[in-house]
């Protein structure tokens, strides 16, 4: 069964990019435009997501807020969460790590690179 | 949008420059004349009066315009880079999409050609593969048929041999016994005749002749039993031979059926394999090219997003500058000068979301802005832009 991934980004082009790359690699992809939208998708999902990929700067609820909310859900305590952002400041990365992010990818990324990171954090 | 931003900045710069130069001109006139010329009522109430302009501290004004110029330089460099990257991203996007469409069309054309060839029966692309399969299958069928034929022939010869051995053996035994029987009968008859000639003296011989006759009758019964047994054995052998022949014939029929079915299967396989092979041949290259295009599209899409973010952040900074300038102009209009210093740039730092923006800030203002310390672990195979916590 295909692994389920929730990709969160306010940019339509990034959402399209992530979807293309992941679906090409055989993943089942769900998209959300911001943190609030993502939390709704998680609540409504019939099956748990195996991985979350989120941007940092988003309207309504940003990536850090989303990670904090997701980590408070016992079902997602150990789910890998990757930050995919243009932000590379150490301060932000520390904030992300403290919130519960599994990894930090600074855009732009290469398709095969994203897949390699996912396989590593999902241990597959 | 960038043109609008540039016009906006130039408009502000021209407006502020006009006020400054106007003030300087008036200041110079006063020095030359030694007196102050009272101007008439201002045509626009929001334009500073001569007295207001005179009260402007030239040092503060210079500091203001220096800061303003630096801010504009910073914004100009960021927007200039964003403009260039957005243009490049657009070109890459257009090229990638165009390439993808072209390759998809090439794949479609090839598919159409393949369908046409298949429809007209001209396709020979898979002939080699199918012919090889057919040859292999034919060898197997022929070998099977040959094996069945050999089995039938071997069975026949075995039966003939067995029948011959059994019949000869029984016939030989029966004939030998019949010979003994004839001899015994002859001996018995002769003994009986001799016994009759001898009269009383031949009585013992007559008894012997009687016993020999009994023995002859027993031998006759035995011969009959042997004949019956031989007949039964021959019958059993005939049945066995018949069954073997029937089975062999059945095997031969099955072999023929297999041959026919295999032929039909191969014919079907030829059509289907030809279809698939021809469809994939060449189309595979197109599919590979489309997959290569995927990476280019992903790259272009991301750079478009990065450029968009830079423009958005630059706009936010421009808005801060405009707000600051509004305050300064308001004060200028009231005859004062709001102090503007380089602390204005501190607020910009919160606007940045990427490395390039912070680098521009450092280069323009000399203020430390970039902190790229590693927080997680970097894996060589994953790339420098990835850290795992």
């Amino acid at each position: 069964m295909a692994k389920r991934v929730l990709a969160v980004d306010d940019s339509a082009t990034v959402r399209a990019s992530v979807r293309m790359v992941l679906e090409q690699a055989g993943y089942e992809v769900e998209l959300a435009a911001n943190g609030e939208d993502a939390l709704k998708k998680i609540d409504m999902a019939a099956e748990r997501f195996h991985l979350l990929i989120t941007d940092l700067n988003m309207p309504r609820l940003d990536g850090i807020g989303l990670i904090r909310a997701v980590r408070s859900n016992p079902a997602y305590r150990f789910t890998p969460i990757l930050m995919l952002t243009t932000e590379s400041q150490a301060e932000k990365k520390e904030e992300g790590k403290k919130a519960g992010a599994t990894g930090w990818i600074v855009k732009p990324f290469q398709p095969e690179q994203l897949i390699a990171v996912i396989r590593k954090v999902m241990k597959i | 949008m960038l043109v609008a931003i540039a016009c906006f900045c130039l408009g502000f710069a021209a407006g502020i420059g006009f006020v400054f130069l106007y003030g300087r001109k008036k200041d110079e006139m006063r020095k030359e004349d030694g007196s102050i010329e009272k101007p008439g009522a201002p045509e626009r109430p929001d334009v500073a009066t001569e007295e207001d302009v005179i009260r402007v501290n030239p040092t503060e004004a210079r500091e203001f315009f220096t800061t303003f110029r630096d801010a504009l330089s910073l914004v100009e460099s960021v927007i200039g880079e964003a403009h260039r990257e957005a243009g490049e991203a657009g070109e890459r996007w257009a090229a990638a999409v165009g390439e993808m469409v072209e390759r998809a069309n090439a794949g479609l054309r090839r598919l159409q050609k393949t369908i046409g060839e298949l429809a007209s029966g001209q396709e020979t692309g898979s002939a080699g593969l199918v012919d090889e399969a057919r040859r292999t299958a034919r060898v197997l069928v022929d070998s099977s048929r040959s094996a069945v034929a050999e089995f039938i022939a071997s069975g026949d010869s075995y039966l003939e041999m067995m029948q011959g051995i059994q019949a000869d053996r029984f016939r030989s035994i029966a004939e030998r016994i019949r010979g003994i029987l004839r001899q015994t009968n002859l001996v018995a008859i002769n003994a009986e005749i001799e016994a009759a000639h001898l009269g009383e003296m031949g009585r013992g011989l007559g008894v012997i002749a009687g016993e020999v006759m009994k023995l002859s009758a027993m031998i006759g019964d035995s011969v009959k039993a042997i004949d019956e047994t031989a007949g039964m054995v021959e019958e059993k052998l005939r049945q066995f031979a018949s069954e073997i022949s029937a089975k062999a014939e059945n095997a031969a029929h099955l072999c023929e059926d297999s041959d026919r079915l295999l032929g039909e299967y191969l014919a079907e396989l030829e059509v289907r394999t030809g279809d698939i092979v021809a469809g994939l041949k060449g189309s595979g290259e197109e599919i590979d090219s489309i997959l290569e295009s995927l990476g280019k599209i992903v790259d272009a899409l991301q750079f478009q997003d990065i450029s968009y973010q830079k423009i958005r952040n630059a706009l936010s900074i421009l808005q801060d500058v405009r707000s600051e300038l509004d305050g300064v102009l308001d004060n200028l209009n009231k005859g004062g000068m709001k102090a503007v210093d380089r602390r204005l740039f501190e607020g910009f730092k919160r606007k940045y979301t990427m490395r390039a923006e912070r680098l521009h800030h450092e280069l323009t203002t000399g203020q430390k802005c970039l902190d790229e310390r590693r927080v997680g672990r970097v894996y060589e195979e994953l790339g420098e832009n990835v850290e795992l916590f």
Side-chain angles (χ1 to χ4, degrees):
Chain A
M1 193 181 72
K3 298 287 184 187
R4 285 164 48 76
V5 179
L6 177 61
V8 192
D9 202 305
D10 60 332
S11 163
T13 54
V14 173
R15 290 199 301 272
S17 301
V18 173
R19 165 171 262 173
M20 270 199 288
V21 171
L22 296 192
E23 286 186 345
Q24 185 66 35
Y27 294 94
E28 189 181 318
V29 184
E30 190 90 24
L31 300 174
N34 56 61
E36 275 188 11
D37 190 19
L39 289 176
K40 283 179 190 168
K41 292 271 170 71
I42 288 170
D43 286 342
M44 292 171 66
E47 291 179 45
R48 189 176 67 84
F49 291 103
H50 299 95
L51 171 79
L52 266 66
I53 300 174
T54 179
D55 188 16
L56 176 64
N57 299 302
M58 293 182 291
R60 307 180 81 163
L61 181 63
D62 67 8
I64 301 293
L66 171 64
I67 294 174
R68 288 193 185 112
V70 168
R71 288 297 184 217
S72 68
N73 181 343
Y76 286 88
R77 194 173 167 192
F78 301 109
T79 303
I81 304 177
L82 293 172
M83 294 291 304
L84 182 59
T85 173
T86 53
E87 185 66 73
S88 61
Q89 282 290 93
E91 179 191 348
K92 295 289 184 184
K93 286 188 281 190
E94 280 168 353
E95 204 178 344
K97 182 183 177 183
K98 196 175 173 185
T102 311
W104 194 281
I105 305 171
V106 178
K107 296 173 191 170
F109 67 86
Q110 296 301 310
E112 61 276 10
Q113 181 188 35
L114 181 61
I115 298 303
V117 175
I118 289 172
R119 285 179 178 155
K120 192 165 187 74
V121 298
M122 293 182 79
K123 297 179 175 61
I124 53 175
Chain B
M1 180 182 285
L2 288 169
V3 172
I5 293 167
C7 289
F8 172 76
C9 294
L10 288 172
F12 253 99
I16 297 299
F18 172 77
V19 171
F20 179 68
L21 291 173
Y22 179 74
R24 284 193 62 182
K25 180 70 178 172
K26 290 294 180 187
D27 196 34
E28 286 167 3
M29 284 172 67
R30 184 183 60 174
K31 286 175 183 175
E32 286 171 8
D33 297 342
S35 62
I36 298 170
E37 184 182 345
K38 295 289 182 185
E43 292 179 14
R44 290 168 55 195
D46 58 342
V47 174
T49 64
E50 187 179 355
E51 287 181 351
D52 290 339
V53 173
I54 288 166
R55 285 199 298 273
V56 169
N57 184 325
T59 305
E60 287 178 346
R62 272 195 297 276
E63 176 65 20
F64 163 72
F65 277 107
T66 302
T67 307
F68 181 72
R69 182 198 61 201
D70 288 348
L72 281 185
S73 298
L74 170 62
V75 172
E76 187 182 359
S77 61
V78 172
I79 290 182
E81 183 179 328
H83 181 254
R84 181 175 54 77
E85 288 181 351
E88 288 173 357
E91 286 174 11
R92 277 188 293 226
W93 166 251
V97 170
E99 193 178 346
M100 196 170 184
V101 169
E102 187 182 333
R103 291 187 186 285
N105 284 337
L108 280 173
R109 284 195 296 273
R110 175 166 285 279
L111 191 60
Q112 285 172 335
K113 184 170 177 285
T114 301
I115 291 167
E117 287 172 345
L118 285 170
S120 62
Q122 294 172 354
E123 171 57 30
T124 56
S126 61
L129 182 67
V130 174
D131 281 352
E132 181 62 30
R134 178 187 281 161
R135 276 195 294 273
T136 306
R138 179 65 60 196
V139 167
L140 286 172
V141 168
D142 289 345
S143 300
S144 301
R145 185 185 287 131
S146 175
V148 169
E150 281 181 18
F151 170 70
I152 292 170
S154 299
D156 286 346
S157 58
Y158 172 74
L159 286 172
E160 283 173 10
M161 185 183 73
M162 288 298 293
Q163 284 173 324
I165 288 170
Q166 296 293 338
D168 288 349
R169 196 170 140 199
F170 281 108
R171 267 196 295 273
S172 172
I173 292 169
E175 284 304 314
R176 281 168 64 190
I177 292 170
R178 282 195 191 91
I180 293 167
L181 182 60
R182 280 194 296 271
Q183 290 295 325
T184 306
N185 280 335
L186 197 59
V187 168
I189 289 166
N190 287 334
E192 203 172 32
I193 292 167
E194 286 299 324
H197 283 302
L198 291 172
E200 188 59 30
M201 287 178 66
R203 187 186 299 169
L205 187 60
V207 171
I208 290 168
E211 290 303 319
V212 170
M213 288 298 283
K214 286 180 186 174
L215 178 64
S216 178
M218 287 171 67
I219 290 170
D221 289 342
S222 297
V223 168
K224 191 179 176 184
I226 287 169
D227 282 341
E228 285 175 1
T229 302
M232 189 180 69
V233 168
E234 281 183 332
E235 181 57 28
K236 290 287 181 188
L237 284 172
R238 269 195 297 275
Q239 285 178 6
F240 177 67
S242 176
E243 286 173 8
I244 288 291
S245 293
K247 286 179 179 175
E249 282 297 316
N250 192 34
H253 286 313
L254 285 173
C255 196
E256 291 297 328
D257 287 346
S258 298
D259 186 23
R260 181 177 53 77
L261 289 171
L262 189 62
E264 290 173 3
Y265 166 73
L266 283 173
E268 182 68 16
L269 181 69
E270 184 174 14
V271 172
R272 288 176 185 274
T273 308
D275 192 2
I276 293 166
V277 170
L280 291 178
K281 191 172 63 182
S283 299
E285 293 171 7
E286 305 300 337
I287 290 167
D288 288 344
S289 300
I290 289 170
L291 290 177
E292 282 177 19
S293 300
L294 173 70
K296 294 176 186 174
I297 290 168
V298 168
D299 191 47
L301 289 173
Q302 288 184 92
F303 273 102
Q304 272 205 327
D305 177 58
I306 288 169
S307 300
Y308 173 77
Q309 281 191 48
K310 283 181 177 175
I311 292 168
R312 184 187 64 191
N313 296 342
L315 274 174
S316 180
I317 290 170
L318 267 181
Q319 285 164 357
D320 279 6
V321 172
R322 186 186 61 184
S323 177
E324 191 69 26
L325 283 174
D326 284 346
V328 170
L329 285 170
D330 189 46
N331 283 332
L332 274 173
N333 288 335
K334 292 173 182 172
M337 179 72 198
K338 181 188 176 186
V340 179
D341 57 35
R342 300 181 79 79
R343 281 177 295 184
L344 174 70
F345 292 103
E346 288 295 329
F348 294 167
K349 291 181 181 177
R350 292 191 296 274
K351 310 282 185 184
Y352 306 135
T353 55
M354 59 193 76
R355 182 179 187 278
E357 293 169 321
R358 294 191 172 87
L359 201 58
H360 282 304
H361 187 102
E362 285 192 1
L363 292 171
T364 305
T365 67
Q367 295 174 343
K368 180 68 179 171
C369 189
L370 198 58
D371 180 7
E372 294 185 303
R373 282 177 292 114
R374 298 293 189 186
V375 173
R377 183 176 171 186
V378 177
Y379 293 84
E380 190 180 350
E381 69 271 21
L382 298 180
E384 286 291 313
N385 60 327
V386 177
E387 289 178 51
L388 297 185
F389 304 138

